[in-house]
């Protein structure tokens, strides 16, 4: 077997353009195949990605609707297979890998990689990565917040051969799926993903037969060069310099109360874009750590957001370089630190920090912080079935993106982690699991106030029905490091799950927990945050505030408290509201004169007023910058101090 890297060749522009788009089609056909044949409801809701790589494992083309975090890691995993097997790769082979310490994401994301041969020459690899609903570990769904090492998170799949020269190695496949709580579904996904890579292989071989192998190989290299040239040209139009910011995880349970910093510094110079993550915290004693692959992916995806017209492949990665620091930090955890929750942890903190930095570099595309990815998992035995089979109710929500330089943020939108994610249909969830959805709606006042409002988040609730031996787990964050605004904008709302809210058994479970026992009749609800606001909310056009009230995005009460707009309902059923201009002018002057002082009021007294019902959650986070345990009202003193410093920088510094 020979492996020939892509080399420069003379390609006429028409042939190059045809092949560039044909590569995209080959990958999208792979995605369509997995959509139509997968067994897992999670994968069906588009928690998967596909890619075509060249003979060296470099990404040539990604899918057009793939998950951002997957795509930025696929080349690492392809290279890991090559490192492991070297020349021992043959036509008809298929390899599996999920190892986050070899460039993967987390253990649930299982990749299948197929080499593409023309005779004895390998010209590329087809890869499909899908999120298996369970990969073993201590809790159903494999998201254990209490895990400090990976051994409690599930099966670690180092590069392993599943098909050898076209023959399936059933013993190896059975070993993998038998370590999950749903081996039948996992085996179905294994076959579906492997067959999807065969679809891409057939398409690439068709291109090689039509245009010639050398031409196709040259085009694979040319597509990467093309992207690199575009990005480097764009950089010539941008300022040179260094910018820095910081975002935070809520807490490290192994340390005293306080926010956990994720530091991002970026330099643009004649050589490209350089990130430095020095100053980020040590790895935390929970699963909210990131491996090197996902950290690089966050840097790629965050940067790519500001270059939406540019394709994403390894040509882009050549321009974006990073120093993520030594192993042992929250952004480069290394083995054996737990990393399954990276997606809700450092990943989106890095992306939002990058958004803030690039908002200074490209102010016309500025955007405030977006809501945090969250996963709620309920797993146990389904008492509706005779054999009491395992079920996994595995849910994520849409939410709000940050307000932008020229318009409001997108509401009820997939997370920045994976813009291609679909909201799961509740009818399908209810059929597959003993969980009845009680609510799924946009939450008024969830968008961060600003001259341009953050997009709104959602609320979703459910009730357990016929279940046994069932537990609930939640992977999120930003109950304390709340989705923030920029250039004067205000925060959104805290994340977190409530159990049996409004009853004597009410409990606030927080934004990260695992293995909480639940029983039939228990009801749960949680919001997804909206996006942070952009610009001073006192500068928002009162007419726009009225439109938000009409649409149900802002309440009359918060229109006054957050925007200083006094609105009188005339006939809400007919959407008739009236602005009291005189009262609005007076209230805005009053808020403008008082709001800096609110951020300096005694935090303990503010927390007391919250416990006594005088103030609500939005008063605390938007007026006073005070963070408490939202269930008990206990003040988080260190977190509040840091949160106020950040509000002074991101909000108060821009108020007139």
């Amino acid at each position: 077997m020979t492996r020939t890297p892509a080399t420069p060749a003379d390609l006429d522009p028409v042939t190059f353009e045809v092949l560039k788009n044909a590569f995209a089609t080959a990958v999208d056909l792979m995605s369509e195949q997995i959509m139509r044949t997968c067994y897992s409801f999670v994968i069906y809701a588009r928690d998967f990605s596909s890619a075509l790589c060249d003979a060296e494992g470099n990404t040539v083309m990604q899918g057009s609707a793939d998950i951002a975090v997957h795509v930025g890691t696929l080349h690492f995993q392809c290279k890991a297979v090559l490192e492991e097997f070297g020349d021992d790769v043959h036509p008809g082979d298929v390899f599996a890998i999920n190892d986050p310490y070899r460039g993967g994401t987390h253990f649930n994301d299982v990749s299948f990689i197929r080499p593409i041969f023309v005779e004895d020459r390998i010209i590329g690899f087809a890869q499909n990565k899908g999120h298996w609903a369970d990969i073993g570990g201590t809790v159903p769904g494999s998201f254990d917040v209490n895990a400090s090492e990976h051994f409690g998170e599930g099966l670690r799949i180092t590069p392993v051969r599943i098909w050898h020269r076209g023959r399936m190695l059933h013993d190896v496949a059975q070993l993998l799926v038998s370590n999950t709580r749903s081996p039948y579904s996992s085996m179905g996904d294994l076959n579906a993903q492997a067959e999807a890579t065969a679809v891409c292989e057939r398409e690439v071989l068709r291109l090689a037969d039509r245009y010639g192998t050398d031409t196709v190989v040259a085009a694979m290299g040319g597509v990467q060069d093309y992207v690199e040239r575009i990005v480097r040209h764009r950089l010539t139009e941008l300022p040179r310099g260094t910018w820095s910011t910081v975002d935070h995880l809520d807490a490290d349970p192994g340390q005293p109360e306080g926010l956990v910093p994720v530091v991002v510094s970026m330099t643009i110079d004649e050589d490209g874009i350089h990130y430095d993550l020095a100053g980020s915290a040590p790895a935390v004693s929970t699963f909210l750590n990131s491996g090197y692959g996902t950290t690089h992916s966050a840097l790629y995806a965050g940067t790519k957001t500001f270059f939406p017209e540019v394709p994403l492949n390894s040509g882009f990665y050549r321009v974006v370089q990073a120093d993520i620091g030594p192993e042992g930090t929250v952004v480069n955890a290394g083995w054996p630190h737990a990393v399954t929750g990276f997606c809700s942890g450092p990943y989106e903190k890095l992306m939002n920090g990058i958004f803030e930095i690039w908002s200074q570099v490209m102010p016309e595309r500025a955007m405030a912080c977006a809501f945090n990815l969250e996963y709620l998992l309920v797993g146990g035995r389904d008492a509706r079935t005779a054999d009491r089979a395992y079920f996994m109710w595995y849910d994520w929500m849409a939410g709000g993106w940050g307000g932008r330089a020229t318009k409001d943020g997108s509401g009820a939108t997939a997370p920045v982690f994976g813009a291609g994610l679909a909201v799961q249909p509740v009818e399908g969830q209810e059929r597959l699991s003993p969980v009845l959805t009680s609510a799924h709606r946009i939450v008024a006042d969830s968008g961060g106030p600003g001259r341009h409002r953050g997009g709104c988040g959602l609320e979703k609730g459910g009730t357990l029905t016929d279940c046994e031996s069932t537990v609930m787990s939640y992977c999120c964050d930003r109950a304390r490091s709340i989705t923030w605004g920029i250039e004067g904008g205000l925060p959104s709302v805290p994340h977190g799950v409530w159990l049996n809210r409004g009853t004597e058994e009410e409990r606030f479970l927080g934004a990260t927990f695992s293995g909480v026992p639940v029983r039939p009749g228990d009801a749960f609800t949680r919001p997804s945050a909206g996006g942070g606001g952009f610009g001073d909310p006192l500068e928002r056009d009162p007419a726009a505030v009225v439109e938000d009230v009409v649409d149900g995005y802002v309440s009359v009460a918060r229109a006054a408290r957050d925007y200083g707009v006094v609105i009188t309902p005339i006939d809400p059923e007919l959407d008739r509201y009236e602005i009291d201009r005189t009262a609005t002018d007076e209230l805005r002057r009053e808020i403008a004169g008082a709001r800096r002082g609110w951020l300096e009021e005694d935090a303990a007294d503010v927390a007391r007023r919250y416990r006594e019902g005088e103030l609500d959650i939005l008063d605390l986070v938007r007026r006073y910058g005070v963070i408490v345990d939202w269930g008990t009202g206990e003040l988080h003193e260190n977190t509040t101090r840091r949160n106020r410093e950040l509000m002074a920088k991101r909000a108060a510094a821009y108020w007139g």
Side-chain angles (χ1 to χ4, degrees), residues 138 142-154 253 284-289 336-340 514:
T138 53
S142 312
F143 276 59
D144 185 1
V145 67
N146 298 311
S148 60
E149 295 185 335
H150 94 264
F151 305 108
E153 297 188 286
V284 294
S285 56
T286 181
F287 70 166
L288 296 175
N289 294 297
H337 289 289
V339 295
T340 293
S514 293

Side-chain angles (χ1 to χ4, degrees), residues 39-331:
Y39 279 49
S40 168
F41 199 56
V42 176
I43 293 180
Y44 179 75
R46 300 207 68 93
D47 198 343
F48 69 87
S49 296
S50 305
L52 172 65
C53 297
D54 66 17
E56 300 302 313
N58 302 305
T59 301
V60 173
M61 193 63 65
Q62 67 168 71
S64 59
D66 283 349
I67 308 303
V69 65
H70 291 175
V71 175
T73 63
L74 298 181
H75 63 298
F76 289 128
Q77 296 201 285
C78 196
K79 290 174 183 292
V81 168
L82 286 170
E83 291 168 2
E84 193 76 20
F85 288 91
D87 290 335
D88 185 18
V89 179
H90 312 282
D93 285 355
V94 178
F95 303 90
I97 180 174
N98 76 346
D99 192 347
Y101 312 111
R102 299 289 295 272
T105 48
H106 50 199
F107 299 101
N108 294 75
D109 288 339
V110 184
S111 283
F112 291 85
I113 301 172
R114 179 187 297 269
I116 302 172
F117 279 84
V118 174
E119 296 178 349
D120 66 343
R121 176 184 180 186
I122 187 169
I123 64 171
F125 292 86
Q127 180 174 177
N128 177 271
K129 174 180 285 192
H131 185 114
W132 288 12
D134 185 271
I135 195 69
T138 53
V139 296
S142 312
F143 276 59
D144 185 1
V145 67
N146 298 311
S148 60
E149 295 185 335
H150 94 264
F151 305 108
E153 297 188 286
L155 179 66
R156 176 187 179 189
I157 306 172
T158 57
V160 61
R161 200 189 319 258
I162 305 295
W163 270 263
H164 181 53
R165 299 182 186 270
R167 181 177 65 87
M168 185 181 188
L169 305 178
H170 287 276
D171 52 346
V172 179
Q174 193 63 39
L175 173 66
L176 300 188
V177 303
S178 295
N179 278 278
T180 76
R181 288 175 173 82
S182 182
Y184 175 77
S185 175
S186 298
M187 183 64 83
D189 288 336
L190 182 152
N191 280 287
Q193 290 180 255
E195 183 58 31
T197 63
V199 170
C200 181
E201 177 191 41
R202 289 195 292 269
E203 189 66 13
V204 172
L205 292 179
R206 183 186 68 81
L207 296 173
D209 183 62
R210 179 170 182 176
Y211 294 97
T213 302
D214 290 341
T215 300
V216 170
V217 169
M220 287 182 177
V223 168
Q224 297 172 61
D225 296 341
Y226 166 76
V227 170
E228 180 181 7
R229 287 196 305 273
I230 292 175
V231 179
R232 292 196 183 280
H233 176 72
R234 290 293 307 279
L235 292 182
T236 64
E237 304 168 352
L238 299 177
R240 300 290 189 263
T242 299
W243 299 261
S244 298
T245 191
V246 62
D247 201 354
H248 298 84
L249 277 66
D250 281 352
D252 180 348
Q255 298 295 325
E257 171 265 315
L259 299 176
V260 177
V262 176
V263 179
V264 187
S265 180
M266 183 191 78
T267 298
I268 298 177
D269 59 24
E270 62 277 1
D271 294 325
I273 301 166
H274 308 272
Y275 287 103
D276 187 343
L277 307 185
S280 295
V284 294
S285 56
T286 181
F287 70 166
L288 296 175
N289 294 297
S290 181
Y292 76 87
T294 50
T295 289
H296 278 92
S297 173
L299 302 179
Y300 301 147
T303 307
K304 174 67 171 62
T305 303
F306 285 78
F307 297 85
E309 71 283 4
V310 178
L312 183 60
N313 61 27
S314 288
F316 192 91
Y317 308 155
R318 297 172 193 164
V319 186
V320 180
Q321 302 297 316
D323 180 359
I324 66 173
E327 283 193 359
T329 70
V330 71
V331 295

Side-chain angles (χ1 to χ4, degrees), residues 507-586:
R507 293 170 62 193
F508 179 69
L509 300 178
T512 48
F513 59 85
S514 293
V516 174
V518 288
R519 60 184 187 275
D522 279 342
F524 58 88
T525 185
R526 94 269 195 193
S528 62
F534 180 93
D536 188 344
L538 298 186
E539 297 176 0
R540 186 167 177 82
D541 184 350
V545 178
V546 172
E547 284 300 311
D548 285 342
V549 171
V550 169
D551 291 335
Y553 299 156
V554 175
S555 66
V556 170
R558 295 312 306 188
R561 295 185 73 78
D562 294 334
Y563 295 96
V565 177
V566 180
I567 298 174
T568 302
I570 304 301
D571 190 341
E573 291 188 1
L574 296 178
D575 293 334
R576 292 182 59 205
Y577 297 87
E578 186 176 274
I579 301 170
D580 187 329
R581 299 285 179 177
T582 301
T584 293
D585 291 343
E586 181 178 343

Side-chain angles (χ1 to χ4, degrees), residues 257-525:
E257 171 265 315
L259 299 176
V260 177
V262 176
V263 179
V264 187
S265 180
M266 183 191 78
T267 298
I268 298 177
D269 59 24
E270 62 277 1
D271 294 325
I273 301 166
H274 308 272
Y275 287 103
D276 187 343
L277 307 185
S280 295
V284 294
S285 56
T286 181
F287 70 166
L288 296 175
N289 294 297
S290 181
Y292 76 87
T294 50
T295 289
H296 278 92
S297 173
L299 302 179
Y300 301 147
T303 307
K304 174 67 171 62
T305 303
F306 285 78
F307 297 85
E309 71 283 4
V310 178
L312 183 60
N313 61 27
S314 288
F316 192 91
Y317 308 155
R318 297 172 193 164
V319 186
V320 180
Q321 302 297 316
D323 180 359
I324 66 173
E327 283 193 359
T329 70
V330 71
V331 295
N332 187 16
W335 183 87
H337 289 289
V339 295
T340 293
F342 80 92
C343 42
S344 296
Y347 190 87
E348 290 201 344
K349 307 307 184 300
L350 288 167
M351 285 194 71
N352 280 292
I354 290 168
F355 292 168
E356 186 177 23
I357 286 174
W358 279 94
S359 292
Q360 300 171 57
V361 178
M362 294 183 178
E364 71 280 4
R365 291 186 173 175
M367 182 174 73
C369 184
F371 86 105
N372 209 76
L373 174 76
E374 50 89 70
Y375 291 117
L376 182 62
L377 302 89
V378 182
R381 297 287 187 171
D382 189 346
R384 302 174 304 173
T385 63
D387 60 352
R388 300 301 197 262
Y390 269 110
F391 76 92
M392 265 83 62
W393 188 89
Y394 189 108
D395 190 54
W396 57 80
M397 289 211 291
W401 288 32
R404 292 167 283 181
T406 59
K407 61 184 72 175
D408 295 339
S410 298
T413 302
V416 295
F417 165 92
L421 276 175
V423 174
Q424 298 183 51
V426 298
E427 296 86 356
Q429 290 181 318
E430 290 174 348
R431 182 168 183 173
L432 294 170
S433 301
V435 181
L436 180 67
T437 299
S438 56
H440 196 194
R441 56 185 170 235
I442 290 176
V443 179
D445 302 318
S446 57
R451 183 168 66 251
H452 299 294
R453 174 184 46 75
C456 287
L458 305 177
E459 178 187 18
K460 190 170 184 180
T463 302
L464 278 296
T465 58
D466 303 298
C467 63
E468 297 174 354
S469 304
T470 300
V471 296
M472 177 183 293
S473 303
Y474 192 49
C475 174
C476 191
D477 205 51
R478 294 209 190 278
R480 305 180 189 181
S481 175
I482 299 169
T483 303
W484 35 266
I486 62 173
E487 298 195 26
L490 295 178
S492 174
V493 298
H495 280 283
V497 177
W498 291 84
L499 189 63
N500 298 317
R501 195 167 194 181
T503 73
E504 293 182 356
E505 297 181 333
E506 176 180 286
R507 293 170 62 193
F508 179 69
L509 300 178
T512 48
F513 59 85
S514 293
V516 174
V518 288
R519 60 184 187 275
D522 279 342
F524 58 88
T525 185

